[in-house]
Amino acid sequence: MTPVTHLTAPRPSPVPPPAPDDVPVQGRRSAALATAFVRGGVAACLGIGALAVLVTAVWISSPYPDGGADSALHTSAGLWLLAHGADLIRTDTVSGVPAPLGVTPLLLCVLPMYLAHRAARDTLDPGDTRPVPSPAGAVAAVTGGYLLVAAVVVIYTEAGAFPADLVSAGCWTPVTVFTAACVGAWSAHGRPLPGRGTAADALGAAGHALAALLGAGGLLVVGALLWHVGAVQMSLGALAGEWSGRLAVTLLALVLLPNAVVWGVAYGLGPGFVLGTGALVGPFGPLGHTATPARPDFPLLAALPGPGPAGWAHWAAGAVPVLAGLALGRRAGRSAHDRPARHAALAALGAAGFCGVAVALLTALAGGPLGAGRLAAFGPVWWQTGPAAALWCAVLGVPTALVVRAWGRWSARRATAARAVAARVMAAPVPAPAGKPGVGKPEAGKRGAGKPDAEQRSVRTRSARAWDVRTWGVRDRGARAWGRLVRRGGPPGPPSAAPTPGARPAPLPVPAPSPVHGGASAGALARLDALEALDALEGLDDDTGEDGYGVMPAAWEPPKPG
């Protein structure tokens, strides 16, 4: 039998078409990754272009250039790869044997790393309406686009005077770009850091120690340049006679100045650095140099210490690791003021390890080969400088952290005790004036009426001194006042018994009013004695900056109700 379909029966509704916004989801993700890929390539091109403009300007200003514009472009491409950690090969040597060039100018690394960092950060910026890829996809796309341009540059340098070493270029360039892109993605998400813990405190303390090391190393380099300023000027004049050549040498010295700072850190830590095979320069050895150094003629190298016995100027470099250890311990101890001593010690040890790793990485980048033979080793040795930094920071940082933590806890206890005493003093009542008429108040109509008598002037003078007691530093008077308070009625309750919130603290015992001096003056003097006694407890509140005296009324003012 043929089934009959009623016209009034509800028909099955077809599947609704997808919304226009849901159709190209996969396509929008692909477009976002393609945009990130292009951003990486553009970042690489911007870095090459900036260096090409600089090198071309120096080439134009030179009166006797060694080559043409293509030579300048090849040199700029080689410098760009050198800024990423790749080694270059010098082919035009005197002996005809190719020599490696592996000293990375640290200041030159800032531009390419910043451009890669910015490309990844802008790709993940949620402020725009365009689709945003995942962080891993953005980092991978930016790195891929950047490395594509880098591969083209490596091939281009093969026809120049400074071709890139393929092994180092294939190893260090991806690592540099990937690290910068990861930092950019981290910045796009608000630079999240771990909460309060041992790792977070160790990272903070390591940052303080590294900053102290670099700052002290910079001061060491500046002092050496000023000490040997004559030799520096002679080296600059010997390298170039015209102003354009001196400008080029000065620019090269500027981009190598951060390398000199890292060399100063290595010198202060003790291992020093090598100037060729077998020539070690250090501050603590019997000789400044262990062998004849292979020192090229360059202004920064002219400021190095000469051979001979080490003197006080060399030993003064030992302050570099001391400052770093103290900075590390101070930061670790302050972050663990409310935690056990074990936390402070572990944070200091972790910070020492982090600082050693950072110093080892910086010294590995700041040195390298300058040629073949004796110049194959030039600069600090990373596997010596890194452990030395970690050892110095651990030996000095852990005791400093424990001492700073103990001092902070002791100061906090003193602050709590002083606030408790201050609350009791504030709660001390002042008796109403009682006694014979005319005592404590001048009679109207008499000479000198309306003027305070000697007793009231003494009260006001001592009150003013109590208000400014921290400025004048009257510690001895405060100690004597505390003794008088003990003899008269005994000190208040134990300082550790802090007043509970909402409850009025117990009043301070006040001597009975004297019929000779008047009740008001006697009560005011008692309160002033207690105020002066507070000077024996310094640092009422070191954390907030309050001293406790700013909230106390004058002795002649009546206490506020409630």
Side-chain angles (χ1 to χ4, degrees), residues 75-104:
T75 302
S76 62
L79 287 177
W80 184 78
L81 290 174
L82 188 64
H84 291 78
D87 293 349
L88 302 181
I89 305 296
R90 290 193 301 119
T91 57
D92 55 345
T93 58
V94 177
S95 61
V97 179
L101 178 61
V103 178
T104 302

Side-chain angles (χ1 to χ4, degrees), residues 403-515:
V403 170
V404 170
R405 173 190 170 274
W407 177 265
R409 293 173 66 88
W410 180 72
S411 300
R413 288 195 297 266
R414 285 175 59 89
T416 303
R419 280 193 294 267
V421 175
R424 294 180 180 275
V425 171
M426 290 292 298
V430 179
K436 299 179 181 179
V439 176
K441 180 175 68 174
E443 298 181 5
K446 291 187 178 182
R447 186 175 182 180
K451 297 183 180 180
D453 56 4
E455 185 69 24
Q456 293 178 349
R457 287 196 299 271
S458 175
V459 169
R460 296 185 180 184
T461 302
R462 295 175 64 190
S463 299
R465 292 177 180 174
W467 276 70
D468 205 20
V469 67
R470 292 181 65 86
T471 304
W472 293 97
V474 284
R475 299 178 180 177
D476 296 336
R477 192 174 69 249
R480 292 195 300 269
W482 182 263
R484 292 198 302 270
L485 183 62
V486 172
R487 290 194 300 272
R488 291 184 180 181
S496 59
T500 58
R504 189 176 184 86
L508 182 72
V510 180
S514 172

Side-chain angles (χ1 to χ4, degrees), residues 312-336:
W312 64 269
H314 305 83
W315 298 332
V320 172
V322 173
L323 293 177
L326 294 179
L328 184 147
R330 181 177 180 273
R331 178 66 172 80
R334 289 173 65 90
S335 62

